[in-house]
Amino acid sequence: MLRKVTAGIVRYRRRLLAAVVVTLSVAPLALINGNATAAAALAPQPGNFTGYGFDACTAPSSETMAAWLASSPYRAAGIYFGGNNRGCTQANLTPEWVREQVTRGWRLIPLYVGPQASCTTVTRKNLIDDTQAWAQGRATAEDAVRQATALGLSPESVLIYDMESYDSKNTVCRDGVLAFMNGWTARLHDFGYFSGYYSSTATGIADQVAVYDKPGYVRPDYVDFARWDQVVTVTDKVIPAGHWTPKRRMKQYRGGHQETWGGVTINIDNDYLDFARLPAAKLSDWNRNGWSDVMARTTSTGNLFAYPGNGTYISEGARSKVGVYPSANALLRMDLNRDGLTDLIVRTKAGAVFFYPGVSSGKFGARKQLYKNMSHLRELTAIGDFNRDGYPDLLASQTSNGNVYLYPGQKGAKFGKRVALAYGDWNNRSEFAGVGDFDRDGVPDLLVKMTSSGTLYLYPGKSGGFKAAVKVGTASGLRDLLGVGDFDRDGFTDLAAVRASTGALLIYRGTGKGFRAGLQVSTGYKGRSPLF
């Protein structure tokens, strides 16, 4: 897996395939999904873990693992679970072995050694086809998911791609690596797995840093970087402090050497991990793969489409039609009946409000009328569980008096008697967005735009109302503000909006106190409204 340069000599761990070209095995998607239930029996690997780990070319025997668990400082072990460049035999690596080690208390680090860069400095290899790199990355990810599920590695495990050092000055080759990893990460997200990336700091990691915020690029969720200086840390001069944080890094700080614990010797590399599972998107995950999605109506036809997200961009090509609602003038989604599926709340132009339950097919079931006429309300907003009783709530402002009211969700997929949250003239505010617990104090918050100035204010929630407003930015030129949960899964809730002049879809990543600069994650929204 590893590379080290000493006195002009390049050394590699013998993790790569010798001279045999192996055909990539890609399972049908039905087979991958069919194995997911069995894989879910084990906790995702390595999960939440900070501490010492090691990796060996061949998975040690169960007896060796038991001896090392009892006597060594290590609690995480790397396993080379697949890839057409995997070099060592894996007689011990079975579903039973995986289950036994996890049950004993080991955390496993899944490592996949697939096609290498076309300009790699490794002499024996299977290579990335730079002309088909993105598609090849997706196909390789499908194989990785098949191999992982066969071993019992559940979704939300981190599957780390081993990309050995390459000539990053070769632009065709470098772009091929980036396209390959773009496809790899996006496809893993489709199946609910996290993407990890191992490489040298000077080449592979530096190239990932350069495209960290590039629109349309799906960066790896975690990095595993090699620097053999024997310094135990996850910081590095090549990686900016704000990248892959918090708890998304692993360092290989020492290369191959012999260590003996409990009377058993293994040739290992030393690792230090600082990993935590990414927080779930929660508010906006339509397809239930852990990542926030966006839904929008095409204004010319009334068609509703779901546009899946993957933490970095919103996919146009993978959109799915979920219904037709040309007469709606308000659309919201929430899990009102608490069955784990996203439901739809629709207000018609005549003012009637209906509940459409989400069904497992990715559509909506038969509607139920909730109100005959709510045309006196504006800015209907899915605010989340504001009163913290376990049911999602509805928020709206009354046109006649400008007051803001909460309609609490109740058992039976309905709303209870409304409660006033704020008084005064809120008619000068628009683009209400429920942004979840933005300031992370345990209560959902509300974002609004001052219509005349475009200034954006956060109203932190509290029991029975809101705290004083806090200015968090400007929304001039933006429309259809939408809380999308934790889009990039960094622990802070985020905001989506459409730039009115161009139709570009932007994500503004939350910090708990404000928003970072907007990132374009899709285009083509000029003829789509509302977002919900």
Side-chain angles (χ1 to χ4, degrees):
M1 171 179 175
L2 307 172
R3 176 181 187 274
K4 183 179 182 181
V5 180
T6 305
I9 300 174
V10 179
R11 299 177 182 171
Y12 296 91
R13 293 294 300 150
R14 292 189 298 168
R15 304 293 194 254
L16 300 182
L17 188 69
V20 181
V21 177
V22 178
T23 302
L24 180 66
S25 174
V26 180
L29 300 191
L31 176 59
I32 294 174
N33 289 328
N35 287 342
T37 300
L42 291 178
Q45 297 298 309
N48 299 326
F49 180 77
T50 298
Y52 292 94
F54 74 91
D55 61 90
C57 192
T58 298
S61 68
S62 286
E63 293 76 16
T64 296
M65 294 294 286
W68 275 48
L69 186 65
S71 58
S72 80
Y74 305 112
R75 291 297 179 268
I79 54 171
Y80 290 86
F81 73 96
N84 63 6
N85 274 316
R86 182 174 62 171
C88 294
T89 58
Q90 300 292 345
N92 296 321
L93 191 55
T94 65
E96 294 74 22
W97 184 94
V98 168
R99 184 171 293 105
E100 184 176 11
Q101 308 322 314
V102 172
T103 302
R104 282 175 172 170
W106 281 105
R107 302 301 181 95
L108 301 181
I109 311 165
L111 301 160
Y112 186 95
V113 193
Q116 297 296 297
S118 62
C119 57
T120 183
T121 50
V122 178
T123 56
R124 297 174 180 176
K125 64 276 180 180
N126 297 300
L127 301 180
I128 293 172
D129 179 351
D130 293 324
T131 66
Q132 301 292 327
W134 180 79
Q136 191 178 11
R138 289 176 63 84
T140 303
E142 291 177 6
D143 180 66
V145 171
R146 184 180 69 84
Q147 303 283 0
T149 54
L151 287 172
L153 296 170
S154 67
E156 298 212 348
S157 292
V158 183
L159 307 186
I160 300 176
Y161 197 93
D162 180 345
M163 185 70 71
E164 296 295 331
S165 186
Y166 56 89
D167 179 10
S168 62
K169 294 180 181 179
N170 183 326
T171 57
V172 172
C173 173
R174 181 192 63 211
D175 291 347
V177 170
L178 294 175
F180 182 93
M181 290 307 302
N182 194 11
W184 160 271
T185 301
R187 195 60 174 144
L188 287 186
H189 287 178
D190 289 341
F191 295 108
Y193 285 83
F194 295 140
S195 165
Y197 182 68
Y198 166 86
S199 195
S200 67
T201 52
T203 57
I205 299 298
D207 288 343
Q208 291 293 326
V209 168
V211 296
Y212 189 85
D213 282 330
K214 181 180 178 181
Y217 186 75
V218 190
R219 62 178 174 268
D221 305 305
Y222 299 81
V223 288
D224 171 11
F225 61 96
R227 189 180 292 280
W228 292 4
D229 55 8
Q230 300 191 38
V231 177
V232 179
T233 181
V234 291
T235 62
D236 192 89
K237 61 184 180 181
V238 172
I239 306 174
H243 289 17
W244 293 288
T245 186
K247 294 185 174 295
R248 299 192 187 193
R249 299 184 187 183
M250 168 179 165
K251 178 183 178 181
Q252 189 175 71
Y253 62 89
R254 187 181 180 188
H257 63 285
Q258 304 277 9
E259 284 194 22
T260 302
W261 297 96
V264 183
T265 301
I266 314 176
N267 188 288
I268 67 167
D269 308 313
N270 292 125
D271 306 307
Y272 187 76
L273 294 80
D274 188 25
F275 275 13
R277 289 177 63 182
L278 304 188
K282 294 183 180 179
L283 292 180
S284 301
D285 183 15
W286 164 253
N287 59 9
R288 295 184 293 165
N289 70 347
W291 300 92
S292 294
D293 310 310
V294 165
M295 302 181 81
R297 181 180 62 177
T298 302
T299 52
S300 60
T301 63
N303 291 335
L304 301 189
F305 289 94
Y307 299 85
N310 52 35
T312 306
Y313 70 84
I314 296 292
S315 176
E316 183 74 18
R319 74 177 188 175
S320 60
K321 184 178 177 180
V322 298
V324 184
Y325 300 89
S327 65
N329 72 355
L331 295 160
L332 301 87
R333 54 173 163 153
M334 61 179 70
D335 184 13
L336 185 59
N337 61 8
R338 301 199 309 176
D339 65 352
L341 300 171
T342 299
D343 308 319
L344 183 66
I345 306 296
V346 177
R347 184 178 67 177
T348 67
K349 293 176 182 178
V353 176
F354 294 92
F355 161 75
Y356 292 81
V359 294
S360 58
S361 63
K363 306 289 184 180
F364 295 105
R367 72 182 188 179
K368 179 179 79 171
Q369 186 166 354
L370 300 179
Y371 298 98
K372 290 183 178 180
N373 192 344
M374 294 187 81
S375 58
H376 59 292
L377 299 177
R378 54 184 290 273
E379 297 294 341
L380 273 66
T381 305
I383 191 67
D385 184 13
F386 191 85
N387 60 6
R388 292 177 287 178
D389 65 352
Y391 291 90
D393 305 320
L394 172 69
L395 178 145
S397 177
Q398 185 164 317
T399 306
S400 62
N401 59 19
N403 295 342
V404 175
Y405 296 94
L406 183 77
Y407 293 78
Q410 292 185 346
K411 183 178 180 180
K414 60 184 180 180
F415 296 105
K417 184 178 180 180
R418 75 180 191 178
V419 178
L421 294 183
Y423 298 93
D425 187 10
W426 280 61
N427 288 330
N428 61 356
R429 294 158 230 192
S430 57
E431 296 287 357
F432 289 19
V435 289
D437 185 12
F438 185 82
D439 58 6
R440 303 200 296 185
D441 67 350
V443 184
D445 306 316
L446 178 67
L447 199 70
V448 304
K449 181 175 80 170
M450 299 301 293
T451 305
S452 60
S453 66
T455 304
L456 201 58
Y457 285 95
L458 178 77
Y459 286 82
K462 67 176 183 179
S463 179
F466 298 107
K467 301 175 186 176
V470 179
K471 182 179 177 180
V472 292
T474 179
S476 295
L478 301 178
R479 63 169 175 83
D480 287 307
L481 273 60
L482 175 70
V484 288
D486 187 0
F487 182 80
D488 58 359
R489 300 180 73 168
D490 66 348
F492 295 96
T493 59
D494 306 315
L495 179 73
V498 175
R499 189 174 299 284
S501 60
T502 64
L505 180 64
L506 306 174
I507 291 291
Y508 293 83
R509 293 172 294 166
T511 65
K513 295 182 179 180
F515 294 96
R516 300 177 188 173
L519 292 176
Q520 182 174 311
V521 294
S522 191
T523 58
Y525 282 74
K526 206 163 188 178
R528 299 170 189 168
S529 185
L531 301 186
F532 63 100

